[in-house]
Amino acid sequence: MIIIALILINLILISFFNFKTILIILFFECLSGLISFAFLKRKSLGLYKFSSSQRIDNSNINDIQSDKYYQKLIDHFDFPIFFLDKNLEIKIQNNQSILSYGKNTSLPVSSVIRDYEFIENIGKFKKNPKFNNFIWKKELPERKTYKAQLKYFNNFIVLQVLDFTQENNSKKNQELYLTNLTHELKTPLSVIIGYLETINFHEFSLEENKSFIQIINSKSFEMKNLIDQMLKLSEVENLVKTKIKINVFETINRSINNYRELFKKKSVTLITDLDSSKNLFIDFAPNDLDIVLNNLLSNALNYSESNTTVTVFANLNIKKNQIEIIVKDQGIGISSDNLTKITEKFYRVDKSRNNLIQGHGLGLAITTEILAKNGCRIDISSDLGKGSAFKIIFPLS
Ligand code: ADP
Protein backbone atom coordinates (compact mmCIF):
# COMPACT_ATOMS: atom_id res chain seq x y z
CA MET A 1 0.00 0.00 0.00
CA ILE A 2 2.76 2.40 1.02
CA ILE A 3 4.76 1.58 -2.14
CA ILE A 4 1.72 2.17 -4.39
CA ALA A 5 1.08 5.46 -2.63
CA LEU A 6 4.73 6.48 -3.11
CA ILE A 7 4.61 5.63 -6.86
CA LEU A 8 1.42 7.70 -7.25
CA ILE A 9 2.98 10.68 -5.38
CA ASN A 10 6.11 10.43 -7.59
CA LEU A 11 3.99 10.36 -10.78
CA ILE A 12 2.20 13.50 -9.60
CA LEU A 13 5.59 15.12 -8.81
CA ILE A 14 6.94 14.28 -12.31
CA SER A 15 4.04 16.11 -13.89
CA PHE A 16 4.64 19.26 -11.74
CA PHE A 17 8.46 19.61 -11.34
CA ASN A 18 11.48 19.51 -13.63
CA PHE A 19 13.93 16.58 -13.77
CA LYS A 20 16.57 18.13 -11.45
CA THR A 21 14.04 18.84 -8.66
CA ILE A 22 12.62 15.31 -8.99
CA LEU A 23 16.13 13.82 -8.61
CA ILE A 24 16.70 15.84 -5.42
CA ILE A 25 13.31 14.74 -4.02
CA LEU A 26 14.09 11.06 -4.89
CA PHE A 27 17.49 11.36 -3.17
CA PHE A 28 15.86 12.58 0.08
CA GLU A 29 13.17 9.87 -0.16
CA CYS A 30 15.88 7.16 -0.41
CA LEU A 31 17.82 8.70 2.46
CA SER A 32 14.80 8.83 4.77
CA GLY A 33 13.90 5.25 3.70
CA LEU A 34 17.38 4.05 4.68
CA ILE A 35 17.26 5.87 8.04
CA SER A 36 13.82 4.36 8.85
CA PHE A 37 15.04 0.90 7.86
CA ALA A 38 18.10 1.17 10.11
CA PHE A 39 15.93 2.46 13.00
CA LEU A 40 13.39 -0.37 12.63
CA LYS A 41 16.18 -2.96 12.44
CA ARG A 42 17.74 -1.67 15.68
CA LYS A 43 14.40 -1.68 17.37
CA SER A 44 13.60 -5.23 16.26
CA LEU A 45 17.04 -6.40 17.42
CA GLY A 46 16.37 -4.73 20.75
CA LEU A 47 13.03 -6.51 21.04
CA TYR A 48 14.66 -9.83 20.25
CA LYS A 49 17.26 -9.09 22.90
CA PHE A 50 14.56 -8.65 25.56
CA SER A 51 12.40 -11.61 24.58
CA SER A 52 14.84 -14.45 24.32
CA SER A 53 16.51 -16.34 27.12
CA GLN A 54 19.87 -15.53 25.51
CA ARG A 55 19.11 -11.92 26.22
CA ILE A 56 20.36 -12.30 29.77
CA ASP A 57 23.72 -13.50 28.60
CA ASN A 58 24.01 -10.76 26.00
CA SER A 59 22.82 -7.90 28.16
CA ASN A 60 25.14 -5.47 29.78
CA ILE A 61 25.38 -6.25 33.48
CA ASN A 62 26.20 -2.65 34.32
CA ASP A 63 22.96 -1.64 32.75
CA ILE A 64 20.57 -0.54 35.51
CA GLN A 65 17.70 -2.06 33.53
CA SER A 66 19.39 -5.50 33.69
CA ASP A 67 19.77 -5.33 37.46
CA LYS A 68 16.11 -4.48 37.77
CA TYR A 69 15.25 -7.32 35.44
CA TYR A 70 17.29 -9.81 37.45
CA GLN A 71 15.72 -8.50 40.65
CA LYS A 72 12.22 -9.03 39.24
CA LEU A 73 13.13 -12.48 37.99
CA ILE A 74 14.65 -13.78 41.23
CA ASP A 75 11.84 -12.34 43.36
CA HIS A 76 9.67 -15.11 41.89
CA PHE A 77 11.66 -17.76 43.76
CA ASP A 78 10.68 -18.74 47.29
CA PHE A 79 14.21 -19.49 48.52
CA PRO A 80 17.04 -16.99 49.12
CA ILE A 81 19.05 -15.99 46.04
CA PHE A 82 22.05 -13.63 46.09
CA PHE A 83 23.90 -12.14 43.13
CA LEU A 84 27.50 -11.72 44.26
CA ASP A 85 30.44 -10.00 42.63
CA LYS A 86 33.82 -11.68 42.23
CA ASN A 87 34.79 -10.67 45.79
CA LEU A 88 31.64 -12.45 47.03
CA GLU A 89 29.99 -9.17 47.99
CA ILE A 90 26.23 -9.03 47.69
CA LYS A 91 25.00 -7.00 44.71
CA ILE A 92 21.40 -8.14 44.26
CA GLN A 93 19.11 -10.05 46.64
CA ASN A 94 15.66 -11.50 46.11
CA ASN A 95 12.78 -10.89 48.54
CA GLN A 96 13.22 -14.26 50.23
CA SER A 97 16.88 -13.58 51.00
CA ILE A 98 15.96 -10.13 52.41
CA LEU A 99 13.31 -11.85 54.58
CA SER A 100 15.78 -14.45 55.83
CA TYR A 101 18.95 -12.36 56.16
CA GLY A 102 17.92 -8.69 55.90
CA LYS A 103 18.92 -6.23 53.18
CA ASN A 104 22.70 -6.36 52.96
CA THR A 105 23.78 -5.01 49.58
CA SER A 106 27.56 -4.41 49.28
CA LEU A 107 28.42 -6.61 52.30
CA PRO A 108 30.45 -9.81 51.90
CA VAL A 109 28.07 -12.78 51.96
CA SER A 110 30.20 -14.42 54.68
CA SER A 111 29.35 -11.55 57.03
CA VAL A 112 25.63 -12.04 56.35
CA ILE A 113 25.30 -15.85 56.53
CA ARG A 114 27.24 -16.29 59.75
CA ASP A 115 27.12 -20.09 60.16
CA TYR A 116 30.59 -21.47 60.70
CA GLU A 117 30.33 -24.27 58.11
CA PHE A 118 29.00 -21.82 55.50
CA ILE A 119 31.92 -19.41 56.02
CA GLU A 120 34.39 -22.29 55.80
CA ASN A 121 32.86 -23.65 52.58
CA ILE A 122 32.45 -20.29 50.85
CA GLY A 123 36.15 -19.72 51.60
CA LYS A 124 36.92 -23.00 49.81
CA PHE A 125 34.80 -21.90 46.84
CA LYS A 126 36.75 -18.63 46.63
CA LYS A 127 39.98 -20.60 46.27
CA ASN A 128 38.54 -23.28 44.03
CA PRO A 129 35.28 -22.72 42.09
CA LYS A 130 34.81 -26.49 41.95
CA PHE A 131 33.48 -26.30 45.54
CA ASN A 132 30.25 -24.79 44.28
CA ASN A 133 27.86 -27.19 46.01
CA PHE A 134 27.90 -27.68 49.76
CA ILE A 135 25.73 -28.40 52.75
CA TRP A 136 25.90 -26.71 56.15
CA LYS A 137 24.03 -26.89 59.41
CA LYS A 138 22.51 -24.06 61.35
CA GLU A 139 23.11 -24.54 65.04
CA LEU A 140 20.51 -24.56 67.82
CA PRO A 141 17.75 -23.56 68.24
CA GLU A 142 16.99 -23.87 64.50
CA ARG A 143 18.68 -27.25 63.84
CA LYS A 144 18.31 -26.78 60.10
CA THR A 145 20.40 -28.01 57.20
CA TYR A 146 20.94 -25.85 54.13
CA LYS A 147 22.38 -26.49 50.72
CA ALA A 148 24.31 -23.83 48.77
CA GLN A 149 24.61 -23.86 45.01
CA LEU A 150 26.91 -21.35 43.34
CA LYS A 151 26.93 -20.66 39.60
CA TYR A 152 28.80 -18.16 37.43
CA PHE A 153 26.52 -15.92 35.43
CA ASN A 154 27.94 -13.01 33.44
CA ASN A 155 30.01 -11.02 35.92
CA PHE A 156 27.94 -12.34 38.81
CA ILE A 157 28.14 -15.41 41.00
CA VAL A 158 24.61 -16.57 41.80
CA LEU A 159 24.17 -18.15 45.22
CA GLN A 160 21.02 -20.16 45.95
CA VAL A 161 20.28 -21.19 49.52
CA LEU A 162 17.99 -24.23 49.72
CA ASP A 163 16.44 -25.70 52.87
CA PHE A 164 17.82 -29.24 52.93
CA THR A 165 16.55 -30.23 56.41
CA GLN A 166 13.86 -32.65 55.30
CA GLU A 167 15.98 -34.47 52.70
CA ASN A 168 18.84 -34.66 55.16
CA ASN A 169 16.63 -36.02 57.95
CA SER A 170 14.89 -38.58 55.78
CA LYS A 171 18.27 -39.77 54.49
CA LYS A 172 19.54 -40.03 58.06
CA ASN A 173 16.35 -41.80 59.16
CA GLN A 174 16.69 -44.32 56.36
CA GLU A 175 20.29 -45.02 57.32
CA LEU A 176 19.29 -45.34 60.99
CA TYR A 177 16.40 -47.60 60.10
CA LEU A 178 18.66 -49.89 58.10
CA THR A 179 21.31 -49.96 60.85
CA ASN A 180 18.67 -50.81 63.47
CA LEU A 181 17.07 -53.47 61.32
CA THR A 182 20.42 -55.12 60.54
CA HIS A 183 21.30 -55.05 64.23
CA GLU A 184 17.96 -56.56 65.29
CA LEU A 185 18.31 -59.36 62.73
CA LYS A 186 21.99 -59.97 63.40
CA THR A 187 21.54 -60.60 67.12
CA PRO A 188 19.19 -63.62 66.94
CA LEU A 189 20.95 -64.89 63.82
CA SER A 190 24.31 -65.00 65.63
CA VAL A 191 22.69 -66.97 68.46
CA ILE A 192 21.16 -69.42 65.95
CA ILE A 193 24.48 -69.91 64.14
CA GLY A 194 26.31 -70.30 67.45
CA TYR A 195 23.99 -73.06 68.69
CA LEU A 196 23.92 -74.84 65.32
CA GLU A 197 27.72 -75.04 65.44
CA THR A 198 27.55 -76.34 69.01
CA ILE A 199 25.09 -79.09 68.10
CA ASN A 200 27.42 -80.21 65.34
CA PHE A 201 30.07 -81.16 67.86
CA HIS A 202 28.07 -84.19 69.08
CA GLU A 203 29.61 -83.67 72.48
CA PHE A 204 26.40 -83.04 74.35
CA SER A 205 23.63 -85.19 75.73
CA LEU A 206 20.28 -85.47 74.01
CA GLU A 207 18.73 -83.24 76.70
CA GLU A 208 21.36 -80.56 76.19
CA ASN A 209 20.94 -80.70 72.42
CA LYS A 210 17.17 -80.44 72.89
CA SER A 211 17.58 -77.25 74.92
CA PHE A 212 19.84 -75.81 72.18
CA ILE A 213 17.17 -76.59 69.59
CA GLN A 214 14.61 -74.84 71.77
CA ILE A 215 16.77 -71.72 71.81
CA ILE A 216 17.24 -71.92 68.03
CA ASN A 217 13.49 -72.30 67.69
CA SER A 218 12.69 -69.28 69.86
CA LYS A 219 15.31 -67.10 68.13
CA SER A 220 13.92 -68.12 64.72
CA PHE A 221 10.47 -67.04 65.90
CA GLU A 222 11.94 -63.79 67.15
CA MET A 223 13.32 -63.15 63.66
CA LYS A 224 10.03 -64.09 62.06
CA ASN A 225 8.21 -61.72 64.42
CA LEU A 226 10.56 -58.90 63.51
CA ILE A 227 10.07 -59.51 59.78
CA ASP A 228 6.28 -59.67 60.29
CA GLN A 229 6.37 -56.36 62.18
CA MET A 230 8.50 -54.75 59.47
CA LEU A 231 6.09 -55.93 56.80
CA LYS A 232 3.15 -54.67 58.85
CA LEU A 233 4.79 -51.27 59.29
CA SER A 234 5.52 -50.97 55.60
CA GLU A 235 1.94 -52.08 54.79
CA VAL A 236 0.45 -49.50 57.17
CA GLU A 237 2.73 -46.76 55.83
CA ASN A 238 2.05 -47.47 52.18
CA LEU A 239 -1.39 -49.02 51.85
CA VAL A 240 -4.64 -47.07 51.95
CA LYS A 241 -7.28 -49.44 53.30
CA THR A 242 -11.03 -49.05 53.05
CA LYS A 243 -12.63 -48.55 56.46
CA ILE A 244 -15.53 -50.58 57.75
CA LYS A 245 -17.89 -50.14 60.73
CA ILE A 246 -16.41 -51.82 63.79
CA ASN A 247 -18.10 -52.55 67.11
CA VAL A 248 -15.80 -51.28 69.89
CA PHE A 249 -17.00 -53.72 72.58
CA GLU A 250 -16.61 -56.83 70.40
CA THR A 251 -13.16 -55.86 69.14
CA ILE A 252 -11.78 -55.18 72.63
CA ASN A 253 -13.23 -58.43 73.98
CA ARG A 254 -11.71 -60.41 71.12
CA SER A 255 -8.24 -59.02 71.94
CA ILE A 256 -8.65 -59.48 75.67
CA ASN A 257 -9.63 -63.13 75.20
CA ASN A 258 -6.31 -63.75 73.43
CA TYR A 259 -4.44 -62.46 76.48
CA ARG A 260 -6.49 -63.76 79.42
CA GLU A 261 -4.37 -66.91 79.94
CA LEU A 262 -1.07 -65.02 79.63
CA PHE A 263 -2.17 -62.47 82.26
CA LYS A 264 -3.23 -65.32 84.58
CA LYS A 265 0.11 -67.08 84.07
CA LYS A 266 2.01 -63.96 85.17
CA SER A 267 -0.47 -63.25 88.02
CA VAL A 268 -1.44 -59.88 86.58
CA THR A 269 -5.11 -59.09 87.22
CA LEU A 270 -7.06 -57.95 84.18
CA ILE A 271 -10.06 -55.70 84.86
CA THR A 272 -12.40 -54.47 82.13
CA ASP A 273 -14.96 -51.68 82.15
CA LEU A 274 -16.54 -51.89 78.71
CA ASP A 275 -20.30 -51.85 79.23
CA SER A 276 -20.78 -48.34 77.88
CA SER A 277 -19.04 -49.34 74.62
CA LYS A 278 -21.59 -52.02 73.67
CA ASN A 279 -23.34 -49.86 71.12
CA LEU A 280 -20.36 -47.83 69.99
CA PHE A 281 -19.19 -48.17 66.39
CA ILE A 282 -16.17 -46.63 64.70
CA ASP A 283 -14.93 -46.52 61.11
CA PHE A 284 -11.65 -48.40 60.99
CA ALA A 285 -9.57 -50.52 58.60
CA PRO A 286 -10.41 -54.23 59.12
CA ASN A 287 -8.17 -56.02 61.67
CA ASP A 288 -6.08 -52.89 62.36
CA LEU A 289 -7.75 -52.09 65.70
CA ASP A 290 -6.99 -55.67 66.83
CA ILE A 291 -3.29 -55.03 66.08
CA VAL A 292 -3.36 -51.79 68.10
CA LEU A 293 -5.07 -53.43 71.09
CA ASN A 294 -2.80 -56.49 70.98
CA ASN A 295 0.27 -54.20 71.06
CA LEU A 296 -1.04 -52.24 74.05
CA LEU A 297 -2.12 -55.36 75.96
CA SER A 298 1.15 -57.19 75.33
CA ASN A 299 3.13 -54.12 76.47
CA ALA A 300 0.96 -53.77 79.59
CA LEU A 301 1.67 -57.42 80.38
CA ASN A 302 5.38 -57.31 79.50
CA TYR A 303 6.17 -54.16 81.48
CA SER A 304 4.14 -55.09 84.60
CA GLU A 305 5.31 -57.07 87.61
CA SER A 306 3.27 -59.94 89.05
CA ASN A 307 0.43 -59.06 91.44
CA THR A 308 -0.36 -55.78 89.73
CA THR A 309 -3.49 -54.80 87.80
CA VAL A 310 -4.16 -53.85 84.18
CA THR A 311 -7.47 -52.08 83.47
CA VAL A 312 -9.13 -51.62 80.09
CA PHE A 313 -11.89 -48.95 79.78
CA ALA A 314 -13.91 -47.86 76.80
CA ASN A 315 -16.42 -45.05 76.78
CA LEU A 316 -17.98 -42.21 74.84
CA ASN A 317 -16.69 -38.84 76.06
CA ILE A 318 -19.69 -36.66 75.24
CA LYS A 319 -18.00 -33.41 76.28
CA LYS A 320 -15.12 -33.94 73.87
CA ASN A 321 -17.24 -35.74 71.27
CA GLN A 322 -14.88 -38.68 71.08
CA ILE A 323 -14.71 -42.39 71.85
CA GLU A 324 -11.85 -43.37 74.17
CA ILE A 325 -10.21 -46.73 74.85
CA ILE A 326 -7.74 -46.73 77.76
CA VAL A 327 -5.24 -49.46 78.67
CA LYS A 328 -3.82 -48.67 82.12
CA ASP A 329 -1.14 -50.63 83.97
CA GLN A 330 0.70 -50.49 87.30
CA GLY A 331 3.98 -51.46 85.67
CA ILE A 332 7.49 -50.02 85.55
CA GLY A 333 6.37 -46.74 83.96
CA ILE A 334 8.21 -44.46 81.51
CA SER A 335 10.20 -41.32 82.36
CA SER A 336 8.95 -38.07 80.78
CA ASP A 337 11.98 -37.70 78.47
CA ASN A 338 11.37 -41.19 77.06
CA LEU A 339 7.65 -40.65 76.68
CA THR A 340 8.02 -38.71 73.42
CA LYS A 341 10.46 -41.23 71.95
CA ILE A 342 8.76 -44.58 72.52
CA THR A 343 6.66 -44.27 69.37
CA GLU A 344 9.81 -43.96 67.21
CA LYS A 345 10.85 -47.02 65.23
CA PHE A 346 13.19 -49.35 67.16
CA TYR A 347 13.18 -47.15 70.28
CA ARG A 348 13.27 -49.16 73.51
CA VAL A 349 13.68 -47.51 76.89
CA ASP A 350 16.96 -48.48 78.52
CA LYS A 351 17.78 -51.69 76.68
CA SER A 352 19.29 -53.28 79.82
CA ARG A 353 15.96 -52.73 81.65
CA ASN A 354 14.17 -54.50 78.80
CA ASN A 355 16.74 -57.21 78.24
CA LEU A 356 14.52 -60.03 79.43
CA ILE A 357 11.49 -58.75 77.55
CA GLN A 358 11.43 -59.64 73.89
CA GLY A 359 10.69 -56.83 71.49
CA HIS A 360 12.17 -54.63 68.80
CA GLY A 361 10.66 -51.24 69.59
CA LEU A 362 8.27 -51.43 66.64
CA GLY A 363 4.91 -52.10 68.32
CA LEU A 364 4.12 -48.50 69.24
CA ALA A 365 5.46 -47.21 65.89
CA ILE A 366 2.96 -49.50 64.15
CA THR A 367 0.23 -48.49 66.62
CA THR A 368 0.63 -44.73 66.06
CA GLU A 369 0.88 -45.18 62.30
CA ILE A 370 -2.34 -47.26 62.21
CA LEU A 371 -4.16 -44.72 64.39
CA ALA A 372 -3.00 -41.78 62.26
CA LYS A 373 -4.09 -43.56 59.06
CA ASN A 374 -7.53 -44.05 60.63
CA GLY A 375 -7.86 -40.44 61.77
CA CYS A 376 -7.22 -41.25 65.44
CA ARG A 377 -4.40 -40.64 67.92
CA ILE A 378 -2.88 -41.92 71.13
CA ASP A 379 -2.21 -40.04 74.37
CA ILE A 380 0.41 -41.61 76.62
CA SER A 381 0.84 -40.66 80.26
CA SER A 382 3.12 -42.36 82.74
CA ASP A 383 4.61 -42.18 86.20
CA LEU A 384 8.03 -43.80 86.44
CA GLY A 385 7.83 -46.80 88.77
CA LYS A 386 4.06 -46.49 89.17
CA GLY A 387 2.49 -47.29 85.80
CA SER A 388 1.33 -45.99 82.43
CA ALA A 389 -1.92 -45.23 80.62
CA PHE A 390 -2.38 -45.43 76.85
CA LYS A 391 -5.51 -43.63 75.67
CA ILE A 392 -6.73 -44.18 72.09
CA ILE A 393 -8.90 -41.29 70.90
CA PHE A 394 -11.43 -41.67 68.08
CA PRO A 395 -12.86 -38.22 67.23
CA LEU A 396 -16.52 -38.26 66.18
CA SER A 397 -17.43 -35.99 63.33
P1 ADP B 1 8.67 -53.27 72.27
O1 ADP B 1 8.56 -54.36 71.29
O2 ADP B 1 10.07 -52.99 72.67
O3 ADP B 1 7.75 -53.39 73.42
P2 ADP B 1 7.09 -50.93 71.61
O4 ADP B 1 7.19 -50.03 70.43
O5 ADP B 1 5.80 -51.58 71.85
O6 ADP B 1 8.26 -51.98 71.43
O7 ADP B 1 7.49 -50.10 72.90
C1 ADP B 1 8.63 -49.27 72.86
C2 ADP B 1 9.21 -49.16 74.26
O8 ADP B 1 8.31 -48.39 75.08
C3 ADP B 1 9.38 -50.46 74.99
O9 ADP B 1 10.60 -51.07 74.65
C4 ADP B 1 9.33 -50.03 76.43
O10 ADP B 1 10.60 -49.56 76.82
C5 ADP B 1 8.36 -48.84 76.41
N1 ADP B 1 7.00 -49.25 76.81
C6 ADP B 1 5.97 -49.54 75.99
N2 ADP B 1 4.86 -49.83 76.68
C7 ADP B 1 5.18 -49.71 77.98
C8 ADP B 1 4.46 -49.87 79.22
N3 ADP B 1 3.17 -50.22 79.24
N4 ADP B 1 5.13 -49.65 80.36
C9 ADP B 1 6.43 -49.29 80.36
N5 ADP B 1 7.16 -49.12 79.25
C10 ADP B 1 6.55 -49.34 78.08
Side-chain angles (χ1 to χ4, degrees), residues 209-224:
N209 275 330
K210 257 187 186 171
S211 76
F212 297 156
I213 288 170
Q214 253 172 14
I215 295 169
I216 291 171
N217 200 29
S218 103
K219 289 291 160 189
S220 308
F221 270 104
E222 198 182 303
M223 283 178 73
K224 187 186 174 296

Side-chain angles (χ1 to χ4, degrees), residues 229 295-296 299-300 302-303 329 332-334 342 344 347-349 353-354 358-365 388 390:
Q229 280 193 309
N295 280 340
L296 297 185
N299 279 349
N302 284 338
Y303 302 106
D329 64 55
I332 56 177
I334 306 152
I342 55 170
E344 286 170 17
Y347 192 84
R348 304 197 79 201
V349 177
R353 182 184 88 152
N354 288 349
Q358 261 193 23
H360 305 283
L362 286 175
L364 289 177
S388 316
F390 294 76

Side-chain angles (χ1 to χ4, degrees), residues 292 296 313 317 320 322-329 334 338-340 342-343 364 367-369 371-372 375-383 387-395:
V292 168
L296 297 185
F313 311 91
N317 186 331
K320 293 189 175 167
Q322 62 194 28
I323 294 173
E324 298 169 350
I325 301 177
I326 303 166
V327 180
K328 197 169 183 283
D329 64 55
I334 306 152
N338 277 312
L339 218 49
T340 49
I342 55 170
T343 51
L364 289 177
T367 297
T368 45
E369 192 66 39
L371 292 175
C376 313
R377 65 185 172 87
I378 192 160
D379 262 8
I380 311 170
S381 53
S382 189
D383 228 344
S388 316
F390 294 76
K391 187 199 279 182
I392 311 171
I393 296 167
F394 306 89

Side-chain angles (χ1 to χ4, degrees), residues 5-21:
L6 278 172
I7 293 169
L8 279 174
I9 291 168
N10 282 325
L11 282 173
I12 295 164
L13 286 174
I14 289 167
S15 55
F16 279 102
F17 299 102
N18 63 22
F19 184 67
K20 231 175 164 182
T21 324

